[in-house]
Amino acid sequence: MWKNAMWKNVWSKTSLIAGLTALMIAQAHAQSVSIGPQVGYYKVQDADEGSFTGGAALRLKLIPFLGAEASIGYRQEKYADDLLTVRSWPVMVTGLVYPLPMIYGAMGFGWYNTTFDYDEDRLPLLEDETVQKIGWHFGGGLELPLGTKAKLTADIRYVFLNYDFKEIPGQGEMDSNFYVITAGLLFGL
C-alpha cells in the first residue's frame, strides 16, 4: 500500500512537471513580435466622405490566445463642404484575444493628436487649433500566416472619438465617431 501511494505521488509530480514543461514550450513557440505597415479606409459619420489612412504597427503575441498591438498612423478628413479639415496622428494600444488561431477580437484606446484647420476665407473668425483627445475602439479581424516570418492582418474597428468642434454656422452638431477597415503586413523579429 505504501508503494502504491509513493508511485501515485511520483506519477502526479511527473505529470505536473511534464504538463508545465509542455505549456512553457507551447507558449515559447506562441510568443512572437512582429512589425510592419498598415493601410486602411475609414468613414467618419459626419465627414464629407471616406478617406484612406496609413501607418505602422507592432504586434506582440504573448500566448496562443492573447496578444497586444501598438500602432501609429495618419488620417485626414473634411467636414461641412471643406470648411474644416481635421488632421490626426493616432497612437493606438489594442488588446487582442484569439478565440481561434487566426481570428481575433480587439479592444483598446487611442491618443489622437489632432489639428482643426478652418477655411480662413469662409470662416475668418475661427482660429485653427491643435488638441489631444482619447478615443476608444473595439472590433475584430483575421491574422493569416505567410510562411514562417510574415503575417497578413485585416480587421474592422469602430472608434468612439467625440471631438469638441467649434460652432460652424449652419452645421449644428457634428459626430466624429467612425469605423476603420485596415490591412497590414507584419514581419517577425
Side-chain angles (χ1 to χ4, degrees):
M1 183 142 83
W2 178 76
K3 284 185 177 182
N4 286 340
M6 181 183 80
W7 283 112
K8 269 187 166 176
N9 192 18
V10 169
W11 178 250
S12 296
K13 288 181 181 177
T14 303
S15 297
L16 179 63
I17 291 171
L20 289 174
T21 302
L23 183 61
M24 288 172 38
I25 289 170
Q27 287 182 355
H29 288 292
Q31 288 181 348
S32 65
V33 177
S34 50
I35 191 169
Q38 278 186 334
V39 295
Y41 174 82
Y42 67 99
K43 173 63 172 95
V44 176
Q45 287 182 358
D46 286 340
D48 292 342
E49 56 189 39
S51 299
F52 289 95
T53 181
L58 173 71
R59 190 171 282 194
L60 172 64
K61 196 161 186 183
L62 305 168
I63 54 179
F65 60 88
L66 190 61
E69 179 183 274
S71 62
I72 186 168
Y74 175 79
R75 50 185 280 260
Q76 173 180 307
E77 64 264 4
K78 295 183 181 283
Y79 293 85
D81 295 323
D82 295 342
L83 286 176
L84 170 63
T85 301
V86 177
R87 293 179 187 86
S88 181
W89 298 266
V91 177
M92 299 173 90
V93 177
T94 307
L96 305 170
V97 177
Y98 294 82
L100 298 172
M102 293 186 290
I103 298 174
Y104 60 87
M107 180 179 267
F109 68 95
W111 173 72
Y112 292 78
N113 187 44
T114 304
T115 299
F116 296 101
D117 184 6
Y118 295 93
D119 184 338
E120 293 176 10
D121 294 332
R122 297 189 288 170
L123 296 172
L125 300 177
L126 295 178
E127 291 186 28
D128 296 348
E129 66 178 321
T130 299
V131 300
Q132 287 76 38
K133 188 81 173 168
I134 299 292
W136 303 94
H137 60 270
F138 73 94
L142 297 170
E143 183 178 288
L144 304 171
L146 298 175
T148 59
K149 290 288 189 179
K151 301 176 208 177
L152 177 66
T153 64
D155 67 31
I156 183 167
R157 299 178 189 185
Y158 190 81
V159 179
F160 300 93
L161 182 64
N162 296 316
Y163 285 134
D164 296 323
F165 291 107
K166 289 182 182 175
E167 183 66 31
I168 296 177
Q171 296 301 311
E173 293 284 321
M174 290 190 293
D175 195 350
S176 56
N177 295 338
F178 63 95
Y179 68 88
V180 60
I181 299 168
T182 60
L185 185 58
L186 301 177
F187 301 97
L189 299 179

